Amino acid sequence: MFNSKKTLAVLLFMVLVIASCSSKADDSALLDALDDAEEALEEAEEARDEAIDALEDATDALEEATDALEDATSTTEATTTTETETETETETTTTTEAPECTGDALPDGITLDPSEANEGDVDGDSNVDQIWATTVDEGSSSFTAYLVVLMGDSEDRYHVIEIGGGLMPEAGAWASHDIDDNGAVEVWLSIPDVRRTVPGGLAVFSDCALTLVTNSETGYRWVLRGSDSYTPMPPFYRSACQIIEGTTVYSQVKSDLEDSGDMDSEWTLDISPFRLEGTEMVPATELVTIPEGALSGTFSSFNDAFDYAADYGFEESSCS
């Protein structure tokens, strides 16, 4: 409004100057000039009012947009907080602890000498377990061998499994190494044998129980001589262990007479390599090359056959 008055004053001053400078101007010219000045002033005021209205509309729109943004931000934060709380509640309610394994009763006739125990973490709990292979005299020169493990986190929780039978009161069990990288060591076994060779096998701790590893090809548990395979001149077995390309390979090495029972016959050699997969031994022929002629060669004694196998790396070992 100040600017409008200022403009009007300037226009009136100009009109007066013009009127005073021109003595010949008449009244009608002066009136026309005044009308033009008034119209110009009205147009300027209208333009000013329109600008003020536009500014007010823009201010209102900005305030509405700001309010909408604040509402949206508050809703998003509330939703995120609710989702986080829900996830936290779910994690808390679904956490469970694995049940503790129960032990086995010791079979009658078993006595355990702590000084004769071997050691190893059989169940993978980072505690050192005590390991025994012990036999029970069944009479008539017959013995049953058992694997017994005392868990290192307890003084009386034993796990027991029968590992075989034989005619001699010897058996062996000692920790191997962690073949399958699951945190627990396997147990390497030997059972009584009338020929004093070392039939081998493996036991693992799986699902709260000791389990004898089986041979996937034959279906028998992987103890090299079954109790039903005895003959007057049974085959001789030994076990070999190699680590090839980071994989532990166990091999059954068997020496047998071509004509069972005939001492004048030649001895043959059979080598079967296996690797551990879960609780089974599966063929590992892709990792092991059987010496040419080994399976078809003949030898004058079973020891000669075993020596031949050992020369090619198939020698008795626990891979520890």
Side-chain angles (χ1 to χ4, degrees), residues 90-124:
T90 302
E91 292 177 357
T92 301
T93 55
T94 55
T95 302
T96 57
E97 294 183 359
E100 183 179 352
C101 298
T102 58
D104 301 324
L106 293 176
D108 294 337
I110 286 183
T111 57
L112 302 174
D113 185 346
S115 66
E116 297 177 354
N118 289 311
E119 295 183 341
D121 184 9
V122 175
D123 56 355

PDB file of all heavy atoms in Angstrom, residues 90-124:
ATOM      1  N   THR A  90       9.941 -64.485  18.256  1.00  0.00           N
ATOM      2  CA  THR A  90      10.004 -65.776  17.574  1.00  0.00           C
ATOM      3  C   THR A  90      11.306 -66.497  17.876  1.00  0.00           C
ATOM      4  O   THR A  90      11.320 -67.683  18.165  1.00  0.00           O
ATOM      5  CB  THR A  90       9.852 -65.582  16.047  1.00  0.00           C
ATOM      6  OG1 THR A  90       8.605 -64.927  15.783  1.00  0.00           O
ATOM      7  CG2 THR A  90       9.897 -66.920  15.331  1.00  0.00           C
ATOM      8  N   GLU A  91      12.437 -65.760  17.808  1.00  0.00           N
ATOM      9  CA  GLU A  91      13.721 -66.368  18.095  1.00  0.00           C
ATOM     10  C   GLU A  91      13.775 -66.893  19.517  1.00  0.00           C
ATOM     11  O   GLU A  91      14.318 -67.956  19.792  1.00  0.00           O
ATOM     12  CB  GLU A  91      14.827 -65.343  17.865  1.00  0.00           C
ATOM     13  CG  GLU A  91      15.010 -64.967  16.391  1.00  0.00           C
ATOM     14  CD  GLU A  91      16.055 -63.892  16.222  1.00  0.00           C
ATOM     15  OE1 GLU A  91      16.574 -63.423  17.258  1.00  0.00           O
ATOM     16  OE2 GLU A  91      16.344 -63.520  15.076  1.00  0.00           O
ATOM     17  N   THR A  92      13.192 -66.167  20.437  1.00  0.00           N
ATOM     18  CA  THR A  92      13.238 -66.564  21.842  1.00  0.00           C
ATOM     19  C   THR A  92      12.424 -67.825  22.082  1.00  0.00           C
ATOM     20  O   THR A  92      12.846 -68.729  22.794  1.00  0.00           O
ATOM     21  CB  THR A  92      12.706 -65.418  22.726  1.00  0.00           C
ATOM     22  OG1 THR A  92      13.510 -64.255  22.501  1.00  0.00           O
ATOM     23  CG2 THR A  92      12.762 -65.810  24.192  1.00  0.00           C
ATOM     24  N   THR A  93      11.260 -67.923  21.451  1.00  0.00           N
ATOM     25  CA  THR A  93      10.370 -69.047  21.729  1.00  0.00           C
ATOM     26  C   THR A  93      10.780 -70.319  20.996  1.00  0.00           C
ATOM     27  O   THR A  93      10.413 -71.411  21.419  1.00  0.00           O
ATOM     28  CB  THR A  93       8.926 -68.684  21.338  1.00  0.00           C
ATOM     29  OG1 THR A  93       8.908 -68.272  19.964  1.00  0.00           O
ATOM     30  CG2 THR A  93       8.410 -67.551  22.200  1.00  0.00           C
ATOM     31  N   THR A  94      11.570 -70.214  19.866  1.00  0.00           N
ATOM     32  CA  THR A  94      11.914 -71.414  19.102  1.00  0.00           C
ATOM     33  C   THR A  94      13.256 -72.022  19.506  1.00  0.00           C
ATOM     34  O   THR A  94      13.638 -73.052  19.004  1.00  0.00           O
ATOM     35  CB  THR A  94      11.962 -71.089  17.592  1.00  0.00           C
ATOM     36  OG1 THR A  94      12.873 -69.992  17.376  1.00  0.00           O
ATOM     37  CG2 THR A  94      10.583 -70.702  17.086  1.00  0.00           C
ATOM     38  N   THR A  95      14.007 -71.364  20.386  1.00  0.00           N
ATOM     39  CA  THR A  95      15.292 -71.896  20.823  1.00  0.00           C
ATOM     40  C   THR A  95      15.077 -73.079  21.757  1.00  0.00           C
ATOM     41  O   THR A  95      14.390 -72.970  22.774  1.00  0.00           O
ATOM     42  CB  THR A  95      16.108 -70.809  21.543  1.00  0.00           C
ATOM     43  OG1 THR A  95      16.293 -69.713  20.646  1.00  0.00           O
ATOM     44  CG2 THR A  95      17.447 -71.360  21.994  1.00  0.00           C
ATOM     45  N   THR A  96      15.652 -74.225  21.398  1.00  0.00           N
ATOM     46  CA  THR A  96      15.521 -75.433  22.222  1.00  0.00           C
ATOM     47  C   THR A  96      16.892 -76.058  22.425  1.00  0.00           C
ATOM     48  O   THR A  96      17.814 -75.840  21.653  1.00  0.00           O
ATOM     49  CB  THR A  96      14.594 -76.470  21.555  1.00  0.00           C
ATOM     50  OG1 THR A  96      15.120 -76.786  20.248  1.00  0.00           O
ATOM     51  CG2 THR A  96      13.177 -75.935  21.422  1.00  0.00           C
ATOM     52  N   GLU A  97      17.028 -76.842  23.455  1.00  0.00           N
ATOM     53  CA  GLU A  97      18.265 -77.538  23.751  1.00  0.00           C
ATOM     54  C   GLU A  97      18.125 -79.007  23.392  1.00  0.00           C
ATOM     55  O   GLU A  97      17.077 -79.608  23.586  1.00  0.00           O
ATOM     56  CB  GLU A  97      18.622 -77.397  25.233  1.00  0.00           C
ATOM     57  CG  GLU A  97      18.961 -75.962  25.642  1.00  0.00           C
ATOM     58  CD  GLU A  97      19.390 -75.884  27.095  1.00  0.00           C
ATOM     59  OE1 GLU A  97      19.387 -76.956  27.749  1.00  0.00           O
ATOM     60  OE2 GLU A  97      19.720 -74.788  27.549  1.00  0.00           O
ATOM     61  N   ALA A  98      19.216 -79.581  22.856  1.00  0.00           N
ATOM     62  CA  ALA A  98      19.198 -80.996  22.487  1.00  0.00           C
ATOM     63  C   ALA A  98      19.113 -81.853  23.747  1.00  0.00           C
ATOM     64  O   ALA A  98      19.727 -81.542  24.766  1.00  0.00           O
ATOM     65  CB  ALA A  98      20.456 -81.349  21.710  1.00  0.00           C
ATOM     66  N   PRO A  99      18.310 -82.908  23.709  1.00  0.00           N
ATOM     67  CA  PRO A  99      18.190 -83.769  24.889  1.00  0.00           C
ATOM     68  C   PRO A  99      19.507 -84.465  25.183  1.00  0.00           C
ATOM     69  O   PRO A  99      20.276 -84.799  24.283  1.00  0.00           O
ATOM     70  CB  PRO A  99      17.108 -84.778  24.481  1.00  0.00           C
ATOM     71  CG  PRO A  99      17.156 -84.784  22.978  1.00  0.00           C
ATOM     72  CD  PRO A  99      17.512 -83.388  22.579  1.00  0.00           C
ATOM     73  N   GLU A 100      19.790 -84.697  26.449  1.00  0.00           N
ATOM     74  CA  GLU A 100      21.013 -85.379  26.842  1.00  0.00           C
ATOM     75  C   GLU A 100      20.895 -86.864  26.540  1.00  0.00           C
ATOM     76  O   GLU A 100      19.852 -87.478  26.751  1.00  0.00           O
ATOM     77  CB  GLU A 100      21.271 -85.167  28.337  1.00  0.00           C
ATOM     78  CG  GLU A 100      22.565 -85.797  28.824  1.00  0.00           C
ATOM     79  CD  GLU A 100      22.810 -85.549  30.297  1.00  0.00           C
ATOM     80  OE1 GLU A 100      22.037 -84.768  30.881  1.00  0.00           O
ATOM     81  OE2 GLU A 100      23.744 -86.134  30.858  1.00  0.00           O
ATOM     82  N   CYS A 101      21.977 -87.443  26.042  1.00  0.00           N
ATOM     83  CA  CYS A 101      21.975 -88.862  25.714  1.00  0.00           C
ATOM     84  C   CYS A 101      21.998 -89.692  26.993  1.00  0.00           C
ATOM     85  O   CYS A 101      22.670 -89.338  27.961  1.00  0.00           O
ATOM     86  CB  CYS A 101      23.189 -89.211  24.854  1.00  0.00           C
ATOM     87  SG  CYS A 101      23.232 -88.369  23.260  1.00  0.00           S
ATOM     88  N   THR A 102      21.283 -90.808  26.974  1.00  0.00           N
ATOM     89  CA  THR A 102      21.315 -91.741  28.098  1.00  0.00           C
ATOM     90  C   THR A 102      22.339 -92.830  27.810  1.00  0.00           C
ATOM     91  O   THR A 102      22.643 -93.132  26.664  1.00  0.00           O
ATOM     92  CB  THR A 102      19.939 -92.376  28.319  1.00  0.00           C
ATOM     93  OG1 THR A 102      19.529 -93.050  27.115  1.00  0.00           O
ATOM     94  CG2 THR A 102      18.906 -91.317  28.672  1.00  0.00           C
ATOM     95  N   GLY A 103      22.881 -93.412  28.865  1.00  0.00           N
ATOM     96  CA  GLY A 103      23.925 -94.406  28.719  1.00  0.00           C
ATOM     97  C   GLY A 103      23.396 -95.826  28.624  1.00  0.00           C
ATOM     98  O   GLY A 103      22.189 -96.073  28.655  1.00  0.00           O
ATOM     99  N   ASP A 104      24.340 -96.787  28.507  1.00  0.00           N
ATOM    100  CA  ASP A 104      24.022 -98.213  28.433  1.00  0.00           C
ATOM    101  C   ASP A 104      24.533 -98.911  29.692  1.00  0.00           C
ATOM    102  O   ASP A 104      25.473 -98.456  30.353  1.00  0.00           O
ATOM    103  CB  ASP A 104      24.689 -98.852  27.205  1.00  0.00           C
ATOM    104  CG  ASP A 104      24.261 -98.192  25.902  1.00  0.00           C
ATOM    105  OD1 ASP A 104      23.083 -97.807  25.815  1.00  0.00           O
ATOM    106  OD2 ASP A 104      25.114 -98.048  25.000  1.00  0.00           O
ATOM    107  N   ALA A 105      23.903-100.039  29.999  1.00  0.00           N
ATOM    108  CA  ALA A 105      24.376-100.871  31.107  1.00  0.00           C
ATOM    109  C   ALA A 105      25.552-101.719  30.648  1.00  0.00           C
ATOM    110  O   ALA A 105      25.594-102.181  29.500  1.00  0.00           O
ATOM    111  CB  ALA A 105      23.244-101.769  31.608  1.00  0.00           C
ATOM    112  N   LEU A 106      26.514-101.923  31.531  1.00  0.00           N
ATOM    113  CA  LEU A 106      27.660-102.755  31.188  1.00  0.00           C
ATOM    114  C   LEU A 106      27.253-104.219  31.182  1.00  0.00           C
ATOM    115  O   LEU A 106      26.593-104.683  32.119  1.00  0.00           O
ATOM    116  CB  LEU A 106      28.793-102.538  32.195  1.00  0.00           C
ATOM    117  CG  LEU A 106      29.456-101.159  32.176  1.00  0.00           C
ATOM    118  CD1 LEU A 106      30.499-101.068  33.286  1.00  0.00           C
ATOM    119  CD2 LEU A 106      30.102-100.893  30.822  1.00  0.00           C
ATOM    120  N   PRO A 107      27.604-104.976  30.142  1.00  0.00           N
ATOM    121  CA  PRO A 107      27.290-106.412  30.113  1.00  0.00           C
ATOM    122  C   PRO A 107      27.959-107.149  31.269  1.00  0.00           C
ATOM    123  O   PRO A 107      29.005-106.724  31.789  1.00  0.00           O
ATOM    124  CB  PRO A 107      27.853-106.866  28.764  1.00  0.00           C
ATOM    125  CG  PRO A 107      27.938-105.625  27.941  1.00  0.00           C
ATOM    126  CD  PRO A 107      28.254-104.524  28.904  1.00  0.00           C
ATOM    127  N   ASP A 108      27.354-108.240  31.675  1.00  0.00           N
ATOM    128  CA  ASP A 108      27.927-109.058  32.750  1.00  0.00           C
ATOM    129  C   ASP A 108      29.306-109.571  32.343  1.00  0.00           C
ATOM    130  O   ASP A 108      29.533-109.949  31.185  1.00  0.00           O
ATOM    131  CB  ASP A 108      27.014-110.248  33.059  1.00  0.00           C
ATOM    132  CG  ASP A 108      25.677-109.809  33.651  1.00  0.00           C
ATOM    133  OD1 ASP A 108      25.636-108.694  34.214  1.00  0.00           O
ATOM    134  OD2 ASP A 108      24.699-110.578  33.529  1.00  0.00           O
ATOM    135  N   GLY A 109      30.201-109.588  33.290  1.00  0.00           N
ATOM    136  CA  GLY A 109      31.533-110.128  33.042  1.00  0.00           C
ATOM    137  C   GLY A 109      32.545-109.112  32.590  1.00  0.00           C
ATOM    138  O   GLY A 109      33.724-109.452  32.412  1.00  0.00           O
ATOM    139  N   ILE A 110      32.138-107.842  32.392  1.00  0.00           N
ATOM    140  CA  ILE A 110      33.070-106.818  31.941  1.00  0.00           C
ATOM    141  C   ILE A 110      33.695-106.113  33.144  1.00  0.00           C
ATOM    142  O   ILE A 110      32.987-105.662  34.050  1.00  0.00           O
ATOM    143  CB  ILE A 110      32.376-105.789  31.029  1.00  0.00           C
ATOM    144  CG1 ILE A 110      32.115-106.401  29.658  1.00  0.00           C
ATOM    145  CG2 ILE A 110      33.219-104.526  30.874  1.00  0.00           C
ATOM    146  CD1 ILE A 110      31.495-105.448  28.668  1.00  0.00           C
ATOM    147  N   THR A 111      34.996-106.036  33.171  1.00  0.00           N
ATOM    148  CA  THR A 111      35.720-105.234  34.158  1.00  0.00           C
ATOM    149  C   THR A 111      36.600-104.257  33.395  1.00  0.00           C
ATOM    150  O   THR A 111      37.229-104.614  32.390  1.00  0.00           O
ATOM    151  CB  THR A 111      36.585-106.115  35.072  1.00  0.00           C
ATOM    152  OG1 THR A 111      37.493-106.884  34.278  1.00  0.00           O
ATOM    153  CG2 THR A 111      35.705-107.054  35.892  1.00  0.00           C
ATOM    154  N   LEU A 112      36.649-103.027  33.870  1.00  0.00           N
ATOM    155  CA  LEU A 112      37.372-101.967  33.168  1.00  0.00           C
ATOM    156  C   LEU A 112      38.504-101.442  34.036  1.00  0.00           C
ATOM    157  O   LEU A 112      38.286-101.065  35.193  1.00  0.00           O
ATOM    158  CB  LEU A 112      36.415-100.829  32.806  1.00  0.00           C
ATOM    159  CG  LEU A 112      35.209-101.204  31.933  1.00  0.00           C
ATOM    160  CD1 LEU A 112      34.270-100.012  31.785  1.00  0.00           C
ATOM    161  CD2 LEU A 112      35.666-101.697  30.570  1.00  0.00           C
ATOM    162  N   ASP A 113      39.684-101.417  33.488  1.00  0.00           N
ATOM    163  CA  ASP A 113      40.853-100.882  34.174  1.00  0.00           C
ATOM    164  C   ASP A 113      41.168 -99.510  33.576  1.00  0.00           C
ATOM    165  O   ASP A 113      41.526 -99.415  32.395  1.00  0.00           O
ATOM    166  CB  ASP A 113      42.043-101.829  33.992  1.00  0.00           C
ATOM    167  CG  ASP A 113      43.260-101.379  34.785  1.00  0.00           C
ATOM    168  OD1 ASP A 113      43.271-100.222  35.250  1.00  0.00           O
ATOM    169  OD2 ASP A 113      44.194-102.187  34.910  1.00  0.00           O
ATOM    170  N   PRO A 114      41.027 -98.427  34.365  1.00  0.00           N
ATOM    171  CA  PRO A 114      41.282 -97.086  33.817  1.00  0.00           C
ATOM    172  C   PRO A 114      42.670 -96.934  33.212  1.00  0.00           C
ATOM    173  O   PRO A 114      42.849 -96.162  32.256  1.00  0.00           O
ATOM    174  CB  PRO A 114      41.103 -96.172  35.037  1.00  0.00           C
ATOM    175  CG  PRO A 114      40.190 -96.942  35.948  1.00  0.00           C
ATOM    176  CD  PRO A 114      40.566 -98.392  35.757  1.00  0.00           C
ATOM    177  N   SER A 115      43.646 -97.660  33.727  1.00  0.00           N
ATOM    178  CA  SER A 115      45.005 -97.541  33.198  1.00  0.00           C
ATOM    179  C   SER A 115      45.134 -98.137  31.807  1.00  0.00           C
ATOM    180  O   SER A 115      46.111 -97.855  31.094  1.00  0.00           O
ATOM    181  CB  SER A 115      45.998 -98.219  34.153  1.00  0.00           C
ATOM    182  OG  SER A 115      45.775 -99.622  34.203  1.00  0.00           O
ATOM    183  N   GLU A 116      44.169 -98.953  31.368  1.00  0.00           N
ATOM    184  CA  GLU A 116      44.223 -99.586  30.056  1.00  0.00           C
ATOM    185  C   GLU A 116      43.362 -98.873  29.012  1.00  0.00           C
ATOM    186  O   GLU A 116      43.254 -99.323  27.882  1.00  0.00           O
ATOM    187  CB  GLU A 116      43.768-101.054  30.167  1.00  0.00           C
ATOM    188  CG  GLU A 116      44.682-101.901  31.047  1.00  0.00           C
ATOM    189  CD  GLU A 116      44.172-103.322  31.195  1.00  0.00           C
ATOM    190  OE1 GLU A 116      43.047-103.589  30.704  1.00  0.00           O
ATOM    191  OE2 GLU A 116      44.875-104.155  31.783  1.00  0.00           O
ATOM    192  N   ALA A 117      42.751 -97.768  29.406  1.00  0.00           N
ATOM    193  CA  ALA A 117      41.852 -97.055  28.492  1.00  0.00           C
ATOM    194  C   ALA A 117      42.639 -96.210  27.496  1.00  0.00           C
ATOM    195  O   ALA A 117      43.688 -95.644  27.820  1.00  0.00           O
ATOM    196  CB  ALA A 117      40.900 -96.167  29.282  1.00  0.00           C
ATOM    197  N   ASN A 118      42.136 -96.153  26.281  1.00  0.00           N
ATOM    198  CA  ASN A 118      42.604 -95.170  25.309  1.00  0.00           C
ATOM    199  C   ASN A 118      41.696 -93.947  25.388  1.00  0.00           C
ATOM    200  O   ASN A 118      40.637 -93.979  26.022  1.00  0.00           O
ATOM    201  CB  ASN A 118      42.591 -95.764  23.905  1.00  0.00           C
ATOM    202  CG  ASN A 118      43.676 -96.800  23.724  1.00  0.00           C
ATOM    203  OD1 ASN A 118      44.836 -96.568  24.050  1.00  0.00           O
ATOM    204  ND2 ASN A 118      43.317 -97.976  23.221  1.00  0.00           N
ATOM    205  N   GLU A 119      42.085 -92.858  24.737  1.00  0.00           N
ATOM    206  CA  GLU A 119      41.327 -91.612  24.873  1.00  0.00           C
ATOM    207  C   GLU A 119      41.027 -90.989  23.517  1.00  0.00           C
ATOM    208  O   GLU A 119      41.773 -91.164  22.549  1.00  0.00           O
ATOM    209  CB  GLU A 119      42.112 -90.609  25.723  1.00  0.00           C
ATOM    210  CG  GLU A 119      42.307 -91.041  27.164  1.00  0.00           C
ATOM    211  CD  GLU A 119      43.029 -89.988  27.981  1.00  0.00           C
ATOM    212  OE1 GLU A 119      43.679 -89.102  27.354  1.00  0.00           O
ATOM    213  OE2 GLU A 119      42.945 -90.022  29.213  1.00  0.00           O
ATOM    214  N   GLY A 120      39.916 -90.263  23.478  1.00  0.00           N
ATOM    215  CA  GLY A 120      39.534 -89.530  22.273  1.00  0.00           C
ATOM    216  C   GLY A 120      38.161 -88.914  22.464  1.00  0.00           C
ATOM    217  O   GLY A 120      37.347 -89.414  23.254  1.00  0.00           O
ATOM    218  N   ASP A 121      37.887 -87.832  21.757  1.00  0.00           N
ATOM    219  CA  ASP A 121      36.573 -87.179  21.841  1.00  0.00           C
ATOM    220  C   ASP A 121      35.628 -87.854  20.856  1.00  0.00           C
ATOM    221  O   ASP A 121      35.499 -87.437  19.703  1.00  0.00           O
ATOM    222  CB  ASP A 121      36.708 -85.688  21.537  1.00  0.00           C
ATOM    223  CG  ASP A 121      35.403 -84.938  21.698  1.00  0.00           C
ATOM    224  OD1 ASP A 121      34.434 -85.528  22.211  1.00  0.00           O
ATOM    225  OD2 ASP A 121      35.350 -83.757  21.303  1.00  0.00           O
ATOM    226  N   VAL A 122      34.943 -88.885  21.327  1.00  0.00           N
ATOM    227  CA  VAL A 122      34.108 -89.709  20.447  1.00  0.00           C
ATOM    228  C   VAL A 122      32.807 -89.017  20.065  1.00  0.00           C
ATOM    229  O   VAL A 122      32.296 -89.194  18.957  1.00  0.00           O
ATOM    230  CB  VAL A 122      33.822 -91.074  21.123  1.00  0.00           C
ATOM    231  CG1 VAL A 122      32.861 -91.914  20.292  1.00  0.00           C
ATOM    232  CG2 VAL A 122      35.127 -91.832  21.347  1.00  0.00           C
ATOM    233  N   ASP A 123      32.232 -88.214  20.972  1.00  0.00           N
ATOM    234  CA  ASP A 123      30.933 -87.586  20.694  1.00  0.00           C
ATOM    235  C   ASP A 123      31.042 -86.128  20.277  1.00  0.00           C
ATOM    236  O   ASP A 123      30.024 -85.466  20.039  1.00  0.00           O
ATOM    237  CB  ASP A 123      30.000 -87.711  21.900  1.00  0.00           C
ATOM    238  CG  ASP A 123      30.617 -87.126  23.172  1.00  0.00           C
ATOM    239  OD1 ASP A 123      31.793 -86.718  23.125  1.00  0.00           O
ATOM    240  OD2 ASP A 123      29.933 -87.093  24.206  1.00  0.00           O
ATOM    241  N   GLY A 124      32.251 -85.590  20.189  1.00  0.00           N
ATOM    242  CA  GLY A 124      32.429 -84.236  19.667  1.00  0.00           C
ATOM    243  C   GLY A 124      32.000 -83.124  20.590  1.00  0.00           C
ATOM    244  O   GLY A 124      31.698 -82.028  20.113  1.00  0.00           O
TER     245      GLY A 124
END
